[in-house]
Amino acid sequence: MQRFDQLVGFRGSVLLFLALWSGTQAVRLAWADPAILSTSTYVYLATVAPLGALAVPWAVCAILCAVQAFTVTDWTAFALTAGVLVAWAVVYLVGGIQGAIPQAYWACVVQVAVAGLILRLSRWPEPSERGR
């Protein structure tokens, strides 16, 4: 029986983490807790698009990351996830500029930083490739 890290490798493990994170984001948007629907962030997001529609890119990321964790070619999942994060940062930036989302700059910084980290990790060589 193969060890898990031999089955998916480092990048595959990162993709499985991103699948879990993206899936959680999708569920959080699609089935938002009624207690937070009145917060300024959710009120603004609902003006951009229905929350269920905003969940779709996250769900697609989750599915693609989960699938590509077990494939040799994984760049699409990394690129899509980073792209969704940057798009989400832009939504927050616009909301912050309009005054609809307090301290939106913080969400923008975090999302762009995580997108950069994701892109950096996508180029990280697997342990077996480092010695070549």
Side-chain angles (χ1 to χ4, degrees):
M1 183 169 159
Q2 285 186 317
R3 288 184 11 212
F4 179 76
D5 60 332
Q6 292 173 329
L7 180 64
V8 297
F10 173 76
R11 287 190 304 265
S13 298
V14 171
L15 286 174
L16 289 174
F17 169 77
L18 292 174
L20 176 64
W21 182 37
S22 299
T24 303
Q25 285 284 84
V27 168
R28 185 174 70 98
L29 287 165
W31 295 282
D33 186 334
I36 64 171
L37 288 175
S38 61
T39 64
S40 58
T41 300
Y42 275 81
V43 168
Y44 174 74
L45 290 174
T47 66
V48 173
L51 294 178
L54 293 175
V56 170
W58 290 107
V60 171
C61 284
I63 293 165
L64 188 60
C65 286
V67 168
Q68 287 200 339
F70 298 96
T71 64
V72 175
T73 305
D74 55 13
W75 67 268
T76 308
F78 282 109
L80 178 64
T81 306
V84 168
L85 276 164
V86 171
W88 203 247
V90 169
V91 168
Y92 271 74
L93 179 63
V94 171
I97 290 170
Q98 293 176 349
I101 303 176
Q103 298 186 349
Y105 67 90
W106 178 246
C108 293
V109 168
V110 170
Q111 290 159 358
V112 170
V114 171
L117 178 63
I118 288 169
L119 292 176
R120 177 63 186 117
L121 290 174
S122 73
R123 303 300 300 157
W124 202 278
E126 293 292 344
S128 62
E129 298 170 352
R130 289 187 189 145
R132 293 182 190 173

